[in-house]
PDB file of all heavy atoms in Angstrom:
ATOM      1  N   SER A 213      34.482 -12.637   2.131  1.00 94.00           N
ATOM      2  CA  SER A 213      33.929 -11.415   1.526  1.00 94.00           C
ATOM      3  C   SER A 213      34.901 -10.248   1.654  1.00 94.00           C
ATOM      4  O   SER A 213      34.499  -9.096   1.509  1.00 94.00           O
ATOM      5  CB  SER A 213      32.604 -11.069   2.192  1.00 94.00           C
ATOM      6  OG  SER A 213      32.806 -10.840   3.553  1.00 94.00           O
ATOM      7  N   SER A 214      36.201 -10.552   1.913  1.00 93.00           N
ATOM      8  CA  SER A 214      37.115  -9.449   2.206  1.00 93.00           C
ATOM      9  C   SER A 214      37.573  -8.690   0.962  1.00 93.00           C
ATOM     10  O   SER A 214      37.767  -7.483   1.015  1.00 93.00           O
ATOM     11  CB  SER A 214      38.313  -9.962   2.999  1.00 93.00           C
ATOM     12  OG  SER A 214      38.856 -11.064   2.325  1.00 93.00           O
ATOM     13  N   GLY A 215      37.742  -9.354  -0.166  1.00 92.00           N
ATOM     14  CA  GLY A 215      38.291  -8.660  -1.352  1.00 92.00           C
ATOM     15  C   GLY A 215      37.216  -8.009  -2.200  1.00 92.00           C
ATOM     16  O   GLY A 215      36.036  -8.035  -1.868  1.00 92.00           O
ATOM     17  N   ILE A 216      37.668  -7.405  -3.322  1.00 95.00           N
ATOM     18  CA  ILE A 216      36.708  -6.819  -4.261  1.00 95.00           C
ATOM     19  C   ILE A 216      35.898  -7.962  -4.884  1.00 95.00           C
ATOM     20  O   ILE A 216      34.687  -7.884  -5.006  1.00 95.00           O
ATOM     21  CB  ILE A 216      37.452  -6.044  -5.388  1.00 95.00           C
ATOM     22  CG1 ILE A 216      38.277  -4.910  -4.789  1.00 95.00           C
ATOM     23  CG2 ILE A 216      36.487  -5.547  -6.453  1.00 95.00           C
ATOM     24  CD1 ILE A 216      37.491  -3.701  -4.403  1.00 95.00           C
ATOM     25  N   LYS A 218      34.609 -11.502  -4.258  1.00 97.00           N
ATOM     26  CA  LYS A 218      34.382 -12.337  -3.079  1.00 97.00           C
ATOM     27  C   LYS A 218      34.337 -13.810  -3.478  1.00 97.00           C
ATOM     28  O   LYS A 218      33.972 -14.120  -4.602  1.00 97.00           O
ATOM     29  CB  LYS A 218      33.077 -11.905  -2.420  1.00 97.00           C
ATOM     30  CG  LYS A 218      33.234 -10.433  -2.066  1.00 97.00           C
ATOM     31  CD  LYS A 218      32.111  -9.701  -1.648  1.00 97.00           C
ATOM     32  CE  LYS A 218      32.327  -8.224  -1.514  1.00 97.00           C
ATOM     33  NZ  LYS A 218      33.574  -7.740  -0.986  1.00 97.00           N
ATOM     34  N   SER A 230      31.206 -10.131  -7.368  1.00 98.00           N
ATOM     35  CA  SER A 230      31.461  -8.795  -6.811  1.00 98.00           C
ATOM     36  C   SER A 230      30.540  -8.511  -5.633  1.00 98.00           C
ATOM     37  O   SER A 230      30.858  -7.721  -4.749  1.00 98.00           O
ATOM     38  CB  SER A 230      31.225  -7.723  -7.874  1.00 98.00           C
ATOM     39  OG  SER A 230      32.009  -7.993  -8.997  1.00 98.00           O
ATOM     40  N   HIS A 231      29.356  -9.139  -5.667  1.00 98.00           N
ATOM     41  CA  HIS A 231      28.395  -8.942  -4.576  1.00 98.00           C
ATOM     42  C   HIS A 231      27.839 -10.287  -4.140  1.00 98.00           C
ATOM     43  O   HIS A 231      27.561 -11.143  -4.981  1.00 98.00           O
ATOM     44  CB  HIS A 231      27.223  -8.071  -5.048  1.00 98.00           C
ATOM     45  CG  HIS A 231      27.638  -6.664  -5.368  1.00 98.00           C
ATOM     46  ND1 HIS A 231      27.578  -5.640  -4.452  1.00 98.00           N
ATOM     47  CD2 HIS A 231      28.137  -6.135  -6.516  1.00 98.00           C
ATOM     48  CE1 HIS A 231      28.012  -4.522  -5.018  1.00 98.00           C
ATOM     49  NE2 HIS A 231      28.366  -4.792  -6.269  1.00 98.00           N
ATOM     50  N   ILE A 232      27.678 -10.418  -2.833  1.00 98.00           N
ATOM     51  CA  ILE A 232      27.002 -11.607  -2.288  1.00 98.00           C
ATOM     52  C   ILE A 232      25.757 -11.118  -1.563  1.00 98.00           C
ATOM     53  O   ILE A 232      25.829 -10.150  -0.787  1.00 98.00           O
ATOM     54  CB  ILE A 232      27.894 -12.359  -1.276  1.00 98.00           C
ATOM     55  CG1 ILE A 232      29.185 -12.816  -1.942  1.00 98.00           C
ATOM     56  CG2 ILE A 232      27.142 -13.535  -0.667  1.00 98.00           C
ATOM     57  CD1 ILE A 232      30.174 -13.456  -0.969  1.00 98.00           C
ATOM     58  N   GLN A 351      23.397  -3.438   3.568  1.00 94.00           N
ATOM     59  CA  GLN A 351      24.769  -3.831   3.235  1.00 94.00           C
ATOM     60  C   GLN A 351      25.578  -3.956   4.523  1.00 94.00           C
ATOM     61  O   GLN A 351      25.695  -2.997   5.283  1.00 94.00           O
ATOM     62  CB  GLN A 351      25.383  -2.761   2.325  1.00 94.00           C
ATOM     63  CG  GLN A 351      26.689  -3.196   1.717  1.00 94.00           C
ATOM     64  CD  GLN A 351      27.143  -2.256   0.604  1.00 94.00           C
ATOM     65  OE1 GLN A 351      27.939  -2.642  -0.236  1.00 94.00           O
ATOM     66  NE2 GLN A 351      26.688  -1.039   0.610  1.00 94.00           N
ATOM     67  N   LEU A 352      26.146  -5.148   4.762  1.00 92.00           N
ATOM     68  CA  LEU A 352      26.910  -5.386   5.982  1.00 92.00           C
ATOM     69  C   LEU A 352      28.321  -4.846   5.856  1.00 92.00           C
ATOM     70  O   LEU A 352      28.911  -4.352   6.812  1.00 92.00           O
ATOM     71  CB  LEU A 352      26.987  -6.882   6.269  1.00 92.00           C
ATOM     72  CG  LEU A 352      25.642  -7.604   6.468  1.00 92.00           C
ATOM     73  CD1 LEU A 352      25.851  -9.093   6.613  1.00 92.00           C
ATOM     74  CD2 LEU A 352      24.924  -7.044   7.689  1.00 92.00           C
ATOM     75  N   ARG A 353      28.893  -4.992   4.698  1.00 91.00           N
ATOM     76  CA  ARG A 353      30.177  -4.391   4.335  1.00 91.00           C
ATOM     77  C   ARG A 353      30.170  -4.300   2.824  1.00 91.00           C
ATOM     78  O   ARG A 353      29.262  -4.840   2.177  1.00 91.00           O
ATOM     79  CB  ARG A 353      31.352  -5.203   4.846  1.00 91.00           C
ATOM     80  CG  ARG A 353      31.386  -6.624   4.312  1.00 91.00           C
ATOM     81  CD  ARG A 353      32.550  -7.397   4.869  1.00 91.00           C
ATOM     82  NE  ARG A 353      33.791  -6.744   4.481  1.00 91.00           N
ATOM     83  CZ  ARG A 353      34.976  -7.006   5.041  1.00 91.00           C
ATOM     84  NH1 ARG A 353      35.046  -7.882   6.031  1.00 91.00           N
ATOM     85  NH2 ARG A 353      36.062  -6.420   4.645  1.00 91.00           N
ATOM     86  N   ARG A 354      31.163  -3.633   2.237  1.00 94.00           N
ATOM     87  CA  ARG A 354      31.087  -3.402   0.788  1.00 94.00           C
ATOM     88  C   ARG A 354      30.878  -4.731   0.030  1.00 94.00           C
ATOM     89  O   ARG A 354      31.668  -5.665   0.161  1.00 94.00           O
ATOM     90  CB  ARG A 354      32.370  -2.732   0.299  1.00 94.00           C
ATOM     91  CG  ARG A 354      32.302  -2.338  -1.159  1.00 94.00           C
ATOM     92  CD  ARG A 354      33.588  -1.668  -1.601  1.00 94.00           C
ATOM     93  NE  ARG A 354      33.688  -0.320  -1.058  1.00 94.00           N
ATOM     94  CZ  ARG A 354      33.091   0.762  -1.578  1.00 94.00           C
ATOM     95  NH1 ARG A 354      32.342   0.626  -2.650  1.00 94.00           N
ATOM     96  NH2 ARG A 354      33.248   1.947  -1.037  1.00 94.00           N
ATOM     97  N   GLY A 355      29.785  -4.810  -0.688  1.00 96.00           N
ATOM     98  CA  GLY A 355      29.515  -5.986  -1.526  1.00 96.00           C
ATOM     99  C   GLY A 355      28.889  -7.163  -0.793  1.00 96.00           C
ATOM    100  O   GLY A 355      28.636  -8.191  -1.408  1.00 96.00           O
ATOM    101  N   LEU A 356      28.644  -7.037   0.524  1.00 95.00           N
ATOM    102  CA  LEU A 356      28.023  -8.143   1.260  1.00 95.00           C
ATOM    103  C   LEU A 356      26.674  -7.665   1.787  1.00 95.00           C
ATOM    104  O   LEU A 356      26.607  -6.770   2.646  1.00 95.00           O
ATOM    105  CB  LEU A 356      28.903  -8.582   2.427  1.00 95.00           C
ATOM    106  CG  LEU A 356      28.366  -9.769   3.226  1.00 95.00           C
ATOM    107  CD1 LEU A 356      28.296 -11.039   2.387  1.00 95.00           C
ATOM    108  CD2 LEU A 356      29.222 -10.023   4.480  1.00 95.00           C
ATOM    109  N   TRP A 357      25.604  -8.238   1.253  1.00 96.00           N
ATOM    110  CA  TRP A 357      24.254  -7.759   1.530  1.00 96.00           C
ATOM    111  C   TRP A 357      23.446  -8.799   2.295  1.00 96.00           C
ATOM    112  O   TRP A 357      23.710  -9.992   2.200  1.00 96.00           O
ATOM    113  CB  TRP A 357      23.523  -7.485   0.203  1.00 96.00           C
ATOM    114  CG  TRP A 357      24.183  -6.437  -0.629  1.00 96.00           C
ATOM    115  CD1 TRP A 357      25.253  -6.593  -1.469  1.00 96.00           C
ATOM    116  CD2 TRP A 357      23.838  -5.054  -0.694  1.00 96.00           C
ATOM    117  NE1 TRP A 357      25.584  -5.399  -2.052  1.00 96.00           N
ATOM    118  CE2 TRP A 357      24.731  -4.433  -1.600  1.00 96.00           C
ATOM    119  CE3 TRP A 357      22.847  -4.276  -0.078  1.00 96.00           C
ATOM    120  CZ2 TRP A 357      24.653  -3.079  -1.901  1.00 96.00           C
ATOM    121  CZ3 TRP A 357      22.774  -2.933  -0.382  1.00 96.00           C
ATOM    122  CH2 TRP A 357      23.677  -2.339  -1.276  1.00 96.00           C
ATOM    123  N   SER A 492      23.774  -1.493   8.122  1.00 34.00           N
ATOM    124  CA  SER A 492      24.582  -1.065   7.187  1.00 34.00           C
ATOM    125  C   SER A 492      25.799  -0.337   7.047  1.00 34.00           C
ATOM    126  O   SER A 492      26.373  -0.497   6.074  1.00 34.00           O
ATOM    127  CB  SER A 492      24.007  -0.271   6.600  1.00 34.00           C
ATOM    128  OG  SER A 492      24.689  -0.008   7.451  1.00 34.00           O
ATOM    129  N   GLN A 493      26.241   0.498   7.828  1.00 34.00           N
ATOM    130  CA  GLN A 493      27.494   1.162   7.514  1.00 34.00           C
ATOM    131  C   GLN A 493      28.506   0.088   7.224  1.00 34.00           C
ATOM    132  O   GLN A 493      28.573  -0.912   7.865  1.00 34.00           O
ATOM    133  CB  GLN A 493      28.046   1.962   8.675  1.00 34.00           C
ATOM    134  CG  GLN A 493      27.154   2.903   9.365  1.00 34.00           C
ATOM    135  CD  GLN A 493      26.225   3.651   8.517  1.00 34.00           C
ATOM    136  OE1 GLN A 493      26.102   3.418   7.384  1.00 34.00           O
ATOM    137  NE2 GLN A 493      25.523   4.557   9.019  1.00 34.00           N
ATOM    138  N   GLU A 494      29.354   0.389   6.253  1.00 33.00           N
ATOM    139  CA  GLU A 494      30.300  -0.627   5.845  1.00 33.00           C
ATOM    140  C   GLU A 494      31.238  -0.959   6.958  1.00 33.00           C
ATOM    141  O   GLU A 494      31.819  -1.996   7.025  1.00 33.00           O
ATOM    142  CB  GLU A 494      31.097  -0.119   4.668  1.00 33.00           C
ATOM    143  CG  GLU A 494      30.194  -0.013   3.506  1.00 33.00           C
ATOM    144  CD  GLU A 494      30.854   0.576   2.341  1.00 33.00           C
ATOM    145  OE1 GLU A 494      32.050   0.734   2.360  1.00 33.00           O
ATOM    146  OE2 GLU A 494      30.148   0.848   1.377  1.00 33.00           O
ATOM    147  N   SER A 495      31.463   0.011   7.819  1.00 31.00           N
ATOM    148  CA  SER A 495      32.418  -0.188   8.887  1.00 31.00           C
ATOM    149  C   SER A 495      31.860  -1.145   9.896  1.00 31.00           C
ATOM    150  O   SER A 495      31.927  -1.248  10.672  1.00 31.00           O
ATOM    151  CB  SER A 495      32.645   1.091   9.560  1.00 31.00           C
ATOM    152  OG  SER A 495      31.449   1.609   9.936  1.00 31.00           O
ATOM    153  N   PRO A 500      32.683 -10.013   8.333  1.00 29.00           N
ATOM    154  CA  PRO A 500      32.813 -11.453   8.167  1.00 29.00           C
ATOM    155  C   PRO A 500      33.867 -12.016   9.101  1.00 29.00           C
ATOM    156  O   PRO A 500      33.748 -13.111   9.592  1.00 29.00           O
ATOM    157  CB  PRO A 500      33.223 -11.612   6.709  1.00 29.00           C
ATOM    158  CG  PRO A 500      32.818 -10.347   6.056  1.00 29.00           C
ATOM    159  CD  PRO A 500      32.767  -9.295   7.099  1.00 29.00           C
TER     160      PRO A 500
END
Side-chain angles (χ1 to χ4, degrees):
S213 61
S214 51
I216 300 282
K218 301 170 188 322
S230 304
H231 294 267
I232 300 175
Q351 191 168 202
L352 300 175
R353 60 181 299 165
R354 186 180 286 279
L356 182 64
W357 299 82
S492 95
Q493 310 321 8
E494 292 175 10
S495 53

